[in-house]
Amino acid sequence: MRILVVCAVAEEAQAVEAGRSLRHELDILVCGVGPAAAAASTARTIAENSHMGRAYDVVVNAGICGAFQGRARIGDVLIGTDSVHAELGVALPWRFQPIDEIGFGTNRIGCNTVLTVAVEGVRGEILTLASITGSDGQAANLAHRYPDAVGEAMEGFGVATAAQQAGLPFAEIRTVSNFVGDRNVEGWDWGSALKSLTGAIREL
């Protein structure tokens, strides 16, 4: 099986490399930060490799993330059931209207959970945002809008869109470095999150 693992930054890619298994042929792509860069870079890589006769079987987005308080802990592995673009829609004065409701597509792509059946962790929706949440009030609003969401990051929906359009199964695996909300970086733990990411890739 040929797997494309997409990470936003080099530190995540290094953690994935440390968990590489001989059971699968695995390529690691550093796509850059945000859903647009993730979608464009993933789509280009899938197409280029397909044209060279090295088509992928699976696409996985792997990296660190923030978790919603009470739904996961720092260092936990989060396994996506759906990748949800939390900003794709209309910001009405009284509520957020997902793009699904206005008939212009969907803000949700299901993850292939068979790919991650051997990975131990917390399962739920993982939100994609172009602007990371920076206050407890915003975090509470997102948690209310998406009661099944366990975390937020910036690339999942972009990678999922590229995989879906190429007809490939997609999975999202995240590990928790911080809680969603106020930007108190002193409480972040990249080291624990990256170590957990290596372990999760070994189980893939």
Side-chain angles (χ1 to χ4, degrees):
M1 179 182 291
R2 294 199 68 237
I3 303 175
L4 175 63
V5 180
V6 183
C7 304
V9 297
E11 291 85 352
E12 294 169 334
Q14 290 163 4
V16 169
E17 177 63 37
R20 180 189 292 271
S21 168
L22 296 178
R23 290 173 295 175
H24 307 297
E25 187 177 351
L26 188 148
D27 288 353
I28 303 170
L29 169 67
V30 178
C31 67
V33 175
S41 188
T42 302
R44 185 191 71 244
T45 301
I46 291 171
E48 287 176 350
N49 279 267
S50 180
H51 291 157
M52 292 188 295
R54 301 178 66 249
Y56 293 109
D57 301 298
V58 173
V59 178
V60 177
N61 181 214
I64 64 172
C65 71
F68 289 100
Q69 289 270 11
R71 300 181 186 178
R73 299 169 298 180
I74 289 178
D76 278 354
V77 176
L78 306 186
I79 303 146
T81 56
D82 296 270
S83 180
V84 181
H85 197 320
E87 297 169 320
L88 189 59
V90 181
L92 298 169
W94 58 93
R95 76 177 184 97
F96 182 84
Q97 185 179 30
I99 200 168
D100 307 58
E101 295 183 11
I102 54 178
F104 291 148
T106 181
N107 74 334
R108 176 184 303 272
I109 295 176
C111 299
N112 187 316
T113 54
V114 174
L115 301 173
T116 55
V117 68
V119 182
E120 294 186 8
V122 180
R123 296 179 184 269
E125 298 170 352
I126 299 177
L127 305 184
T128 298
L129 295 96
S131 300
I132 284 295
T133 303
S135 74
D136 288 343
Q138 291 173 319
N141 179 269
L142 278 174
H144 176 73
R145 279 169 47 198
Y146 299 102
D148 295 324
V150 291
E152 72 165 28
M154 300 181 73
E155 294 78 34
F157 190 84
V159 178
T161 298
Q164 184 185 63
Q165 292 191 3
L168 295 174
F170 164 80
E172 185 167 5
I173 299 173
R174 294 281 175 176
T175 53
V176 180
S177 62
N178 59 282
F179 292 114
V180 180
D182 286 344
R183 303 286 287 174
N184 177 19
V185 296
E186 292 180 359
W188 291 22
D189 191 343
W190 273 53
S192 292
L194 293 171
K195 183 178 179 180
S196 294
L197 185 59
T198 296
I201 294 299
R202 286 197 183 110
E203 296 174 347
L204 187 65

